Amino acid sequence: MSTYTDRLAALRDQLARQQLDGFVVPLTDEHMSEYVGAYAQRLAWLTGFQGSAGTAVVLPAEAAIFTDGRYTLQVRQQVSADDWQFVGVPETSVSGWLAGHVKQDARIGYDPWLHTRAWVDEASKALAAVGATLVPVDTNPVDAIWPDQPQRSDAKLAVHDDRHAGRSSGEKRAAVADWLGEQKADAVVLAALESIAWVFNVRGGDVSRTPVALSYAIVNADGTADLFVAPEKMTEAVAQHLGNAVRVHDRAAFADALGGFSGKRVAVDPALSVAAIPLAIEAAGGRVLALRDPTVIPRAVKNPVEQAGHRAASIRDGAALTRFLRWISIEGPKGKQTELSAAARLEAFRRETGVLRDLSFDAISATGPNGAIPHYHVTEESSLPIEPGQLYLIDSGGQYDDGTTDVTRVVPIGAPTAEMRDRYTRVLKGHIALATAVFPRGTVGSQLDILARLPLWQAGLDFAHGTGHGVGSYLSVHEGPARIAKPSYPGGGPSEPLLPGMILSNEPGYYKTGDYGIRIENLLLVEERRIDGGEDVMLGFDTLTLVPIERDLIDPSLLTADELAWLNAYHARVAAALGAVLDGADRAWLEEKCAPIVAS
């Protein structure tokens, strides 16, 4: 099918064949993943949208695509307004839009392996109120018309060594078994790919940039477990690593295994499991306990080994990025580089470390107006030349055995304008305010979000994305459950209390549509703070990322004495840590960029 318009027409024909009056196409997979394998990129194939979050609804006479504020510009650039309506979430929900657009007696299809049960209940109720019905499908109609749909990856599983994990898989499974005993449950179903990778200390290559394997797991109250994964993914090393307490089955056997829980109490995370899982357990006579995946918090709270690993990865990755920043500062003004060539050069610097496993996401390499698209995805068609007078934004990261990195810096190509320096400095002020925050236990990210926005708000400015997300340990670059975001932002609330050991990003920004974008991102480790004279043990952040912050974009007159002191202290840390691993012209450039800034 040569065009997206043709694909939309073909889907409508397929819906008619399946006796459906509409269908919902989410951007996820059978594991409720944010980042999915090529085979599950149904939304991109149908619409052309390349973002990492969105949903489409197709009806006989109209179609809509739902995205949040991160993708307001991007979706309009990539998706035809002739075929699709653009709808913003959370202002309008998918179920609410459906209720206002379907006809009475309409049958709206959904794939029960791609939606949570909560969504199914919400949509069913909304449709029932207008006399329509939500209908589960056995065959996804998008798959039925996708002639060259990629096959699922056959990448092998790999052992994630205990020297990087900090705890053995046996210890982790024993902790889950203890939790099951407390819940008086017989088993827990783990469907989130990161949870399975974490609890079994394995990694995979089935999802681009995220080292996970397509699999399901059941951990039982006696500490044994059942892992469902394609047989061709197994190796002898992985089998020996898992041991006799882990029974390995074909991934295709998982659905039938859910029928074996008659009379059992089975924990299922309602947020991380698709509707098909609890429905199958209940159909077999089992009782579903809607409980949070017991690996979520232990996975988010990094143990001392994981923390040390991330610090090592941050130095290694910071040195590679610093080499790139020096390179782009020289090559950028020549006008011979593009967004794609710059991204490729940065990846080469990271690969020269000799230990890079993968990038942690496709780099957001954006110059000029593309920088104003917060989650821009560069392609051959969109790639712009990097030219003098622009701001070049690079948001990137690496996957290493000992840590996952994510960092954003902005480089002026030539002399920046006074407005650029003002906006950049306001973003920096918000970044420093969050980095230096001290707060009591029980504080959630939404309570801290205002710190990063206030300097922008004071100038009548804001940014339409979250301020911080969790980061995994050689896992997903976006890891729940903790976030720093407005309560109204998708996923921003109710928020999770921050705990010592969690790693989150600190990334306020500013975006001037059609002109430039600014974002300063470091990763932070939540730590305990003891205040002289204080009565309570507080929490605060230690900045892990070590990369110079662009001094040529800073207006020192806008910084307070404390803010300037933080910046100079941070740069002293960067110079000391990276100076030990850089040499020659790279070290000299680093020292120049990290020299103290004096108040103006």
Side-chain angles (χ1 to χ4, degrees):
M1 299 175 196
S2 58
T3 70
Y4 293 112
T5 298
D6 294 336
R7 294 173 184 181
L8 180 57
L11 179 57
R12 285 183 167 131
D13 290 343
Q14 179 64 28
L15 294 180
R17 285 190 288 272
Q18 292 184 224
Q19 298 183 324
L20 296 171
D21 301 299
F23 190 70
V24 182
V25 185
L27 176 48
T28 190
D29 60 10
E30 308 93 315
H31 308 275
M32 296 308 300
S33 305
E34 177 183 11
Y35 297 111
V36 301
Y39 79 94
Q41 291 282 356
R42 298 176 180 90
L43 185 67
W45 180 84
L46 178 65
T47 69
F49 177 59
Q50 299 294 322
S52 63
T55 300
V57 174
V58 177
L59 301 178
E62 57 184 332
I65 183 166
F66 298 75
T67 58
D68 62 52
R70 294 172 294 175
Y71 301 107
T72 300
L73 297 177
Q74 182 176 340
V75 71
R76 285 163 172 79
Q77 293 179 348
Q78 296 175 336
V79 179
S80 171
D82 293 334
D83 294 327
W84 296 90
Q85 299 175 34
F86 304 117
V87 184
V89 294
E91 296 84 3
T92 302
S93 68
V94 173
S95 57
W97 187 91
L98 274 168
H101 288 76
V102 300
K103 295 180 179 179
Q104 190 172 8
D105 297 324
R107 290 166 44 84
I108 306 301
Y110 79 100
D111 188 335
W113 288 94
L114 297 178
H115 297 273
T116 65
R117 189 170 191 173
W119 183 90
V120 172
D121 291 343
E122 174 191 327
S124 296
K125 183 178 179 180
L127 289 171
V130 295
T133 306
L134 190 68
V135 180
V137 299
D138 295 324
T139 300
N140 191 303
V142 177
D143 296 350
I145 64 166
W146 191 350
D148 54 352
Q149 183 177 19
Q151 296 296 309
R152 288 174 172 81
S153 162
D154 59 0
K156 299 291 186 183
L157 279 172
V159 175
H160 184 56
D161 197 275
D162 289 0
R163 66 191 175 92
H164 297 305
R167 295 175 64 195
S168 71
S169 176
E171 291 175 305
K172 294 176 180 180
R173 297 195 309 272
V176 173
D178 290 343
W179 176 84
L180 287 168
E182 295 170 359
Q183 304 300 325
K184 296 182 172 55
D186 297 292
V188 58
V189 175
L190 300 180
L193 300 182
E194 292 88 353
S195 295
I196 296 165
W198 181 87
V199 80
F200 292 103
N201 281 353
V202 293
R203 297 295 187 266
D206 290 347
V207 178
S208 177
R209 313 309 194 194
T210 306
V212 293
L214 294 173
S215 53
Y216 294 98
I218 298 170
V219 180
N220 304 292
D222 63 1
T224 65
D226 296 272
L227 177 63
F228 298 82
V229 64
E232 61 268 21
K233 294 182 176 299
M234 289 293 295
T235 66
E236 183 60 32
V238 172
Q240 291 181 2
H241 163 73
L242 294 175
N244 295 331
V246 179
R247 297 173 288 271
V248 180
H249 314 267
D250 193 322
R251 182 174 182 269
F254 174 69
D256 288 341
L258 298 175
F261 283 124
S262 177
K264 302 293 187 181
R265 290 165 53 88
V266 184
V268 178
D269 189 324
L272 299 179
S273 301
V274 296
I277 293 174
L279 292 173
I281 294 171
E282 290 173 347
R287 180 180 174 186
V288 172
L289 307 179
L291 298 171
R292 171 183 273 177
D293 176 337
T295 73
V296 165
I297 293 299
R299 175 159 53 89
V301 175
K302 309 303 184 283
N303 62 51
V305 170
E306 291 171 320
Q307 293 178 31
H310 191 98
R311 292 184 188 281
S314 294
I315 294 174
R316 181 187 318 123
D317 194 72
L321 182 52
T322 297
R323 293 178 65 200
F324 168 80
L325 292 175
R326 172 178 172 267
W327 176 85
I328 194 67
S329 72
I330 296 170
E331 298 299 323
K334 296 178 182 179
K336 296 181 180 180
Q337 301 299 323
T338 68
E339 292 170 341
L340 277 177
S341 69
R345 190 68 189 93
L346 174 54
E347 181 173 353
F349 279 124
R350 283 193 165 105
R351 294 206 176 276
E352 287 171 16
T353 65
V355 292
L356 181 75
R357 291 291 187 178
D358 196 359
L359 302 181
S360 56
F361 56 99
D362 290 333
I364 300 174
S365 176
T367 193
N370 285 342
I373 304 171
H375 283 208
Y376 168 70
H377 176 72
V378 60
T379 64
E380 290 284 354
E381 295 74 24
S382 70
S383 180
L384 292 177
I386 298 171
E387 298 175 334
Q390 298 176 337
L391 293 185
Y392 171 69
L393 183 152
I394 179 69
D395 183 349
S396 66
Q399 292 281 14
Y400 305 92
D401 283 330
D402 50 3
T404 299
T405 66
D406 183 4
V407 53
T408 307
R409 290 295 184 265
V410 177
V411 180
I413 307 302
T417 66
E419 179 189 272
M420 291 173 176
R421 296 179 73 228
D422 175 271
R423 302 304 192 253
Y424 186 91
T425 308
R426 290 182 183 279
V427 171
L428 176 59
K429 287 169 71 71
H431 181 98
I432 295 172
L434 184 57
T436 56
V438 177
F439 47 93
R441 287 182 179 272
T443 298
V444 300
S446 59
Q447 292 173 298
L448 300 178
D449 183 75
I450 187 176
L451 298 175
R453 296 180 189 269
L454 186 57
L456 289 164
W457 287 355
Q458 290 169 335
L461 309 168
D462 200 1
F463 54 95
H465 59 73
T467 300
H469 57 81
V471 176
S473 182
Y474 188 34
L475 274 173
S476 176
V477 74
H478 288 168
E479 178 181 81
R483 299 196 62 171
I484 302 172
K486 294 179 182 179
S488 61
Y489 181 75
S495 192
E496 188 75 22
L498 303 184
L499 297 172
M502 287 180 169
I503 295 177
L504 298 101
S505 66
N506 173 9
E507 50 181 308
Y510 168 74
Y511 309 91
K512 185 175 183 180
T513 302
D515 201 347
Y516 62 86
I518 293 167
R519 186 161 62 250
I520 304 172
E521 178 184 16
N522 286 340
L523 298 187
L524 308 174
L525 174 69
V526 183
E527 294 185 323
E528 290 188 347
R529 287 278 185 274
R530 297 185 180 275
I531 309 300
D532 289 342
E535 299 178 355
D536 298 322
V537 176
M538 307 294 279
L539 299 180
F541 296 117
D542 181 32
T543 296
L544 298 172
T545 304
L546 297 171
V547 179
I549 293 172
E550 181 52 64
R551 63 190 296 122
D552 292 343
L553 281 169
I554 297 170
D555 181 350
S557 69
L558 294 178
L559 297 178
T560 67
D562 287 344
E563 290 166 344
L564 195 57
W566 180 92
L567 180 63
N568 287 334
Y570 173 73
H571 274 154
R573 282 184 62 199
V574 172
L578 302 189
V581 294
L582 293 173
D583 54 24
D586 290 326
R587 181 188 291 176
W589 185 88
L590 170 73
E591 291 173 350
E592 178 184 343
K593 285 294 182 180
C594 291
I597 297 175
V598 297
S600 59

